[in-house]
Amino acid sequence: GGVMVWAGISYGQRTQLQFINGNLNAQRYYDQIIKVIVIPFILHYHPMFQHDNARPHVARICTQFLDAENISNRMEHHTDRYYGDGLIIRRGQIFMMWLDLSRPYNSNTDRLHLELRTGPLPTVAKGTHVIIPLVEELEDDRWEAKIVQRDGKRLKLSINSPPTAVIGRYQLTVATQSPKGEATSTHDPGNDICMLFNPWCKDDTVYMEDGDEKNEYILNDVGRLYYGTENQIGSRTWNYGQFDKGILDACLYVLEKSATPPSGWGDSVNVVRLISAMINSPDDCGILEGNWSGNYVGGTSPTSWSGSVDILNKYHKDGGAPVRYGQCWVFSGVTTTVLRCLGIPSRSVSNFNSAHDTDVSLTTDVYFDEKLESIDHLNSDSIWNFHVWNDCWMARPDLPPGYGGWQVVDSTPQETSQGTYRCGPASVNAIRNGQVFLKHDSPFVFAEVNSDKIYWQRNLDGTFTQIHSEKNAVGHCISTKAVGSDERNDITDLYKHPEGTVEERIAVETASRYGSKPDAYSSPIAQDVSIEVTMDGEGPRMGGDAELTIVMRNASSLPRTINLHSQVAVMYYTGVVKATVKKDQIPVELLPNEGEPLGNVLCYVYQGCSVRHCYSLHVQVFLTLPVGEAVVGKKMAAEISFTNPLPCTLKGVVFRVEGLGLQSVRQITVG
């Protein structure tokens, strides 16, 4: 007890400073004195009888200068828009810090270093326990600190981190040593450091040179997602909100929840791969539970979400319970938020007529029996009206040169990759050229954008013969938001060579050799009678009839007698058939080199097929108008109007209003 009294007297002035902020801080500082100061003194000599320069240092982060220095750090590191006042920095870039010591630092007799720890079992060898020494001059690519200013008992340090540093939340402590003892500061969560990837650092794998692209793919917190069909492309605003309150904490929580070793979080390929897995929920209790059933009881309809903030905050608040429910555009929107928040340039990408290859054949296969009736149990492949995934930007040191840049990552749970529902990163350059042997999951992505649709008919002996193929059936109008505007940017040429060119055919046939049907292109298919289906005008509209024209052409020099099998079905946007509307079989005689058009009107009979579940028929029309002047800090009125395009009454109408940085989602029931 006597020793504690002497310690209090010796440091009474500094203890009194702590009382300014209240008793809690003072008590915490007393604890620090007991642990860090008193015990070394008992082991050596009582401080009363020591010369001032012989006493061990007690160091802490200098909160007096921290706020001003932190603002400067965050401006330099492009992290000033993140909510809160913590130290958020990017790897491979210098940052500044003030230390407050118990006495002036003597370079001749004293030693000092910083320690950073992250993860449950920090280890020096794995980069999760970092020891930062003081040096005379800083060098690149390593953890080092340099004294750049002295102010009495305070030191200003310039600290460098390598561009390969593990990202995440680090606990910071300061260790000091003098001839008479050692001391280590107590960890204060308020001094934790959040380390992110750095697209501004040339040596970081996620480095992006163009400033406008960095502004779009890292700093823009609002975007556009595209949906519908290739002939009727719709768009919706999505609030990414990567800088909003709680989002960085939620994203770091996702990393921790992945149960992957933090030592791998310095590898951008590895981080993207684990984020792809953690966005969905089937095998790791990830962020979102997918639901394509049309029944969303117990959760939120996927079409109701307009941003990622509520989803991520709810996941974090609920302790990692998956949020219900999501579909592809929701998975993609949340993925963009998480990747941008962690510092990886990313964008949401929509692919129209997107194939889902279920057997790694790299073809989209349709099977018929001997009578040209569909064999449903074999027809597991499908073509989605649209599918939304992500591109992320990074170097690929794990691949041959030339395959860095944009990489596909798909968080929608479709097929497993190495036993887990995830996809990517897959090099867009590799996909374009059919190099599907390059990791990760390139065969699946290639099939989404450039597989041929092949029709097979069962023979009497049970084998199948290829009877027709469509070479331009999938991968149309691949779209993303343009840099610096809300315009749609068509990036199809990044994913595939122009349809029908020699380069495109070489890519398709190269890829197919690595699939489960390598002989699909080994035998030529006779080009005889062709069929084309067209729609008049702009195509069918909600509540109106669809006028179809079926054109058959006989390219041979002989007459052909054919049976035209036609079927019209209502389907989900994923290509899964919900109900058959019309089925027909018509005999047709075609003369040599003759074309025969057949008109067909599909009346508005699909109303009874439950429009709310059939997203190929789903329409969103909305308009928001401010009423009066909009002034910061004051309430304002807005008028929201919606026009029902259908010749029937809509029921259960709900408006969801969200303003990024203004208010969270608010529901208005219309009825």
Side-chain angles (χ1 to χ4, degrees):
V3 175
M4 290 178 64
V5 171
W6 278 112
I9 292 173
S10 300
Y11 293 86
Q13 185 178 1
R14 292 184 61 222
T15 304
Q16 186 179 4
L17 289 174
Q18 295 297 317
F19 274 111
I20 294 174
N21 294 324
N23 292 329
L24 181 62
N25 285 343
Q27 178 62 49
R28 184 172 64 184
Y29 193 63
Y30 277 129
D31 292 343
Q32 184 172 331
I33 291 176
I34 294 169
K35 294 177 181 178
V36 180
I37 301 173
V38 178
I39 294 175
F41 291 169
I42 293 173
L43 294 175
H44 299 277
Y45 301 98
H46 195 284
M48 181 178 178
F49 304 108
Q50 292 187 29
H51 185 272
D52 189 65
N53 286 341
R55 294 204 313 264
H57 281 291
V58 178
R60 64 185 177 90
I61 307 304
C62 184
T63 55
Q64 181 180 354
F65 296 104
L66 187 60
D67 290 344
E69 203 60 62
N70 193 22
I71 292 172
S72 176
N73 280 326
R74 289 179 57 162
M75 291 289 290
E76 290 290 331
H77 286 249
H78 304 91
T79 60
D80 52 297
R81 293 174 60 188
Y82 286 87
Y83 181 88
D85 55 6
L87 182 52
I88 305 170
I89 58 175
R90 299 187 187 276
R91 65 186 192 176
Q93 187 171 339
I94 290 173
F95 63 98
M96 302 295 181
M97 179 183 297
W98 282 93
L99 295 184
D100 191 3
L101 305 177
S102 57
R103 62 171 173 77
Y105 182 76
N106 185 335
S107 302
N108 295 323
T109 60
D110 299 329
R111 296 292 179 267
L112 179 152
H113 68 264
L114 309 181
E115 296 194 23
L116 299 176
R117 293 174 173 86
T118 187
L121 296 171
T123 307
V124 172
K126 295 183 178 180
T128 53
H129 179 188
V130 179
I131 298 175
I132 307 176
L134 283 184
V135 297
E136 292 296 325
E137 294 296 333
L138 296 178
E139 298 183 23
D140 293 337
D141 302 333
R142 65 187 64 185
W143 284 104
E144 291 176 329
K146 175 185 177 182
I147 299 173
V148 294
Q149 186 176 339
R150 298 171 185 254
D151 182 12
K153 299 177 183 179
R154 299 184 176 95
L155 296 179
K156 183 179 181 181
L157 302 182
S158 175
I159 304 170
N160 190 39
S161 65
T164 57
V166 169
I167 67 159
R169 190 189 308 277
Y170 287 88
Q171 298 178 357
L172 170 64
T173 56
V174 184
T176 59
Q177 182 181 9
S178 72
K180 294 299 182 180
E182 300 178 357
T184 302
S185 65
T186 303
H187 167 242
D188 180 354
N191 294 330
D192 285 353
I193 296 176
C194 290
M195 180 73 74
L196 307 177
F197 289 103
N198 193 352
W200 285 267
C201 174
K202 290 185 177 181
D203 295 322
D204 198 313
T205 53
V206 302
Y207 171 69
M208 178 173 265
E209 183 175 9
D210 187 272
D212 291 336
E213 290 187 342
K214 285 195 286 276
N215 287 335
E216 180 68 48
Y217 300 131
I218 286 289
L219 302 180
N220 196 350
D221 55 3
V222 180
R224 306 284 280 177
L225 305 181
Y226 299 94
Y227 65 94
T229 68
E230 63 172 311
N231 295 318
Q232 295 177 345
I233 297 176
S235 66
R236 61 187 300 161
T237 299
W238 192 266
N239 292 328
Y240 297 124
Q242 65 266 33
F243 307 119
D244 257 37
K245 182 179 180 180
I247 297 304
L248 178 57
D249 287 339
C251 293
L252 296 178
Y253 174 74
V254 170
L255 289 178
E256 296 165 4
K257 189 77 165 47
S258 71
T260 59
S263 57
W265 298 353
D267 182 348
S268 55
V269 172
N270 186 55
V271 169
V272 163
R273 195 149 171 78
L274 77 85
I275 291 300
S276 172
M278 285 300 298
I279 297 295
N280 62 67
S281 67
D283 42 32
D284 46 23
C285 289
I287 297 170
L288 273 165
E289 181 178 330
N291 187 339
W292 287 264
S293 70
N295 180 3
Y296 308 119
V297 175
T300 300
S301 168
T303 56
S304 296
W305 299 113
S306 56
S308 308
V309 173
D310 275 17
I311 295 171
L312 285 165
N313 280 333
K314 179 174 173 56
Y315 180 72
H316 191 195
K317 179 182 176 183
D318 292 349
V323 178
R324 299 174 176 176
Y325 293 105
Q327 292 183 4
C328 68
W329 66 92
V330 187
F331 288 108
S332 173
V334 175
T335 301
T336 299
T337 298
V338 175
L339 294 182
R340 289 186 183 180
C341 183
L342 296 178
I344 300 176
S346 61
R347 61 189 184 187
S348 291
V349 174
S350 297
N351 178 37
F352 293 88
N353 290 356
S354 185
H356 180 178
D357 176 24
T358 59
D359 59 358
V360 203
S361 65
L362 282 81
T363 55
T364 303
D365 301 302
V366 183
Y367 294 94
F368 297 97
D369 63 14
E370 298 82 354
K371 297 181 180 180
L372 282 180
E373 294 289 336
S374 174
I375 307 176
D376 292 339
H377 72 276
L378 292 181
N379 290 328
S380 56
D381 289 354
S382 59
I383 297 179
W384 299 30
N385 288 348
F386 72 98
H387 180 47
V388 190
W389 60 66
N390 294 82
D391 281 349
C392 59
W393 181 271
M394 64 181 66
R396 290 297 300 270
D398 57 326
L399 300 181
Y403 293 101
W406 288 117
Q407 313 287 317
V408 176
V409 54
D410 193 345
S411 301
T412 301
Q414 298 177 90
E415 301 293 330
T416 59
S417 171
Q418 295 177 318
T420 302
Y421 281 100
R422 59 187 170 186
C423 181
S427 167
V428 171
N429 285 342
I431 293 161
R432 189 173 194 260
N433 295 304
Q435 308 294 320
V436 297
F437 47 83
L438 297 174
K439 58 185 181 181
H440 294 276
D441 308 310
S442 297
F444 184 82
V445 179
F446 180 89
E448 287 183 301
V449 300
N450 207 11
S451 59
D452 287 351
K453 187 175 183 180
I454 298 182
Y455 296 82
W456 304 84
Q457 185 175 19
R458 186 170 61 195
N459 301 315
L460 293 176
D461 61 0
T463 60
F464 286 88
T465 300
Q466 188 178 149
I467 58 173
H468 181 62
S469 68
E470 296 178 28
K471 294 180 172 57
N472 189 20
V474 306
H476 300 165
C477 303
I478 303 176
S479 304
T480 191
K481 177 187 172 301
V483 173
S485 78
D486 285 335
E487 297 298 316
R488 182 179 69 88
N489 185 21
D490 192 309
I491 56 172
T492 308
D493 61 324
L494 295 183
Y495 274 84
K496 55 198 295 189
H497 295 281
E499 288 285 356
T501 61
V502 173
E503 293 84 356
E504 187 265 344
R505 285 292 91 196
I506 290 174
V508 171
E509 296 186 18
T510 298
S512 70
R513 288 200 290 269
Y514 295 92
S516 59
K517 292 187 174 69
D519 299 326
Y521 296 93
S522 59
S523 56
I525 303 172
Q527 299 296 322
D528 200 353
V529 176
S530 62
I531 303 174
E532 181 182 9
V533 180
T534 60
M535 296 185 183
D536 295 342
E538 297 181 351
R541 293 288 173 178
M542 268 297 216
D545 298 341
E547 298 184 4
L548 313 177
T549 300
I550 302 173
V551 179
M552 294 165 289
R553 291 185 176 87
N554 178 10
S556 72
S557 58
L558 299 173
R560 297 293 189 221
T561 300
I562 63 173
N563 286 317
L564 176 65
H565 297 257
S566 62
Q567 175 177 304
V568 178
V570 175
M571 67 179 185
Y572 297 100
Y573 84 95
T574 58
V576 176
V577 173
K578 174 174 176 58
T580 299
V581 175
K582 186 177 181 181
K583 194 172 184 179
D584 211 348
Q585 181 176 339
I586 304 172
V588 178
E589 298 286 340
L590 289 177
L591 296 175
N593 301 308
E594 181 189 49
E596 180 72 23
L598 291 177
N600 199 339
V601 176
L602 174 61
C603 299
Y604 179 58
V605 295
Y606 46 84
Q607 173 187 351
C609 297
S610 183
V611 171
R612 71 188 181 96
H613 296 163
C614 305
Y615 297 107
S616 56
L617 304 177
H618 180 72
V619 171
Q620 283 189 319
V621 182
F622 55 89
L623 180 65
T624 305
L625 298 173
V627 180
E629 189 177 8
V631 180
V632 172
K634 293 185 178 180
K635 290 184 177 181
M636 61 172 289
E639 180 184 279
I640 305 171
S641 63
F642 173 82
T643 302
N644 176 13
L646 299 176
C648 61
T649 301
L650 293 178
K651 299 179 180 180
V653 176
V654 176
F655 286 122
R656 286 170 59 91
V657 184
E658 178 181 9
L660 197 58
L662 300 175
Q663 65 174 41
S664 57
V665 174
R666 179 170 156 230
Q667 291 196 167
I668 303 172
T669 301
V670 177

